Amino acid sequence: MSIEQIAVIGAGTMGNGIAQVCAVAGFQVLVIDVSDAALERGVATLSKNLERQVNKGTLAADQAEAAKTRIRTSTDYAALSSAQLVIEAATENLELKLRILKQVAANVGADCLIATNTSSLSVTQLAASIEHPERFIGVHFFNPVPMMALVEIIRGLQTSDSTYAQALLVTEKLGKTPITAGNRPGFVVNRILVPMINEAIFVRQEGLASAEDIDTGMRLGCNQPIGPLALADLIGLDTLLAIMEAFHEGFNDSKYRPAPLLKEMVAAGYLGRKSGRGFFTY
């Protein structure tokens, strides 16, 4: 099957980024969200990001305009009837994703591939919630999607070889580099990255160094392009906490316990860049 029609569920940060790269790559794209207001915000962000690429010279103006014409939006899951691949990009919440996937499966054909952009949840568990789970796979994009070259491809126990091959093909058509990861919490990148950030938060909590010095140490001592606490603010402290909690529960290992300071900051609403305050002020 040659995939030409892709639907993205969710117009937020990840969803509009995935929609953007799909449209630029030549796919017809449908974006679905719960309200027209959410869709308008997502499309506005997408358009702004396309303009930024044009201004930087990384995308031609006519390519950006053509990409916009390939995108349509809807709040109705019935619009999925012609989709050949659906990518769920909702918030990292198991109950929410399960509810969305059941709605997706009820409105697409039996041969439509269904993917999740989860960063920590079980692909096998999510696949089990739909009919024909062999067509289900994980495709984990990284933020910001238009800039980040990597996509993790995660097979559940049920995922067929043909679904896996199609996921690889689409990823490469998007200009991304895929790596294959096993179905364990965090897969590869977040399994390594998020506990490292969590440890940096422990270091800050214990008063061993200031946030500035922690980040300077890791940038200059480990050649990281951005310090772990600034990266935490960029990712969102609520998202980090959700991932660490999934690790803690999934592995049943105390080494994955979230730092108490991380919990406290999330409780205070200090979520990082999106709230204007995290380990740094924005």
Side-chain angles (χ1 to χ4, degrees):
M1 178 178 65
S2 177
I3 292 176
E4 298 176 353
Q5 309 273 344
I6 296 178
V8 180
I9 311 298
T13 300
M14 296 305 296
N16 68 60
I18 294 169
Q20 177 181 331
V21 298
C22 289
V24 169
F27 294 98
Q28 296 296 318
V29 181
L30 168 67
V31 183
I32 288 185
D33 212 319
V34 295
S35 69
D36 289 331
L39 290 167
E40 289 169 6
R41 287 193 299 270
V43 171
T45 299
L46 187 157
S47 297
K48 186 183 300 182
N49 288 338
L50 285 172
E51 290 172 12
R52 184 178 294 114
Q53 286 186 278
V54 171
N55 293 335
K56 288 183 176 180
T58 58
L59 186 69
D62 59 341
Q63 289 178 303
E65 288 304 314
K68 292 178 186 178
T69 67
R70 298 187 190 106
I71 298 170
R72 60 192 180 97
T73 62
S74 179
T75 58
D76 187 357
Y77 278 74
L80 293 172
S81 59
S82 62
Q84 296 167 296
L85 167 64
V86 177
I87 303 174
E88 171 274 311
T91 303
E92 196 73 351
N93 177 281
L94 177 61
E95 289 72 22
L96 174 62
K97 287 183 182 289
L98 290 173
R99 186 164 64 249
I100 287 172
L101 291 172
K102 288 177 181 177
Q103 288 181 273
V104 169
N107 285 279
V108 298
D111 59 349
C112 176
L113 304 184
I114 303 176
T116 177
N117 183 54
T118 183
S119 58
S120 62
L121 300 174
S122 169
V123 172
T124 295
Q125 182 179 8
L126 293 173
S129 70
I130 66 168
E131 292 184 5
H132 308 294
E134 68 278 359
R135 60 178 166 162
F136 192 84
I137 196 163
V139 286
H140 179 213
F141 292 82
F142 289 78
N143 184 35
V145 178
M147 305 300 296
M148 301 296 281
L150 182 69
V151 176
E152 290 179 318
I153 306 295
I154 306 101
R155 298 182 66 158
L157 284 179
Q158 312 95 318
T159 306
S160 69
D161 289 342
S162 62
T163 297
Y164 173 66
Q166 286 279 8
L168 289 176
L169 184 60
V170 169
T171 301
E172 289 165 356
K173 284 184 177 179
L174 296 180
K176 305 297 185 184
T177 299
I179 63 171
T180 303
N183 182 47
R184 295 293 184 274
F187 315 126
V188 173
V189 175
N190 279 342
R191 171 78 177 272
I192 298 167
L193 175 66
V194 176
M196 183 272 290
I197 295 173
N198 191 55
E199 192 63 27
I201 298 171
F202 269 114
V203 169
R204 180 71 197 100
Q205 173 184 305
E206 294 166 17
L208 298 180
S210 66
E212 292 80 1
D213 282 354
I214 290 168
D215 277 14
T216 298
M218 294 304 290
R219 284 191 297 103
L220 302 184
C222 297
N223 207 28
Q224 293 184 352
I226 183 173
L229 299 182
L231 181 55
D233 284 350
L234 179 62
I235 294 169
L237 302 193
D238 53 341
T239 299
L240 284 173
L241 178 58
I243 295 171
M244 284 305 301
E245 288 176 336
F247 285 5
H248 197 203
E249 180 180 353
F251 290 112
N252 194 28
D253 189 330
S254 62
K255 77 177 181 178
Y256 295 111
R257 68 197 186 284
L261 177 58
L262 175 60
K263 290 183 175 181
E264 187 174 15
M265 292 181 71
V266 170
Y270 300 161
L271 307 182
R273 285 182 178 269
K274 60 187 172 185
S275 69
R277 179 174 177 179
F279 290 99
F280 302 96
T281 302
Y282 302 92

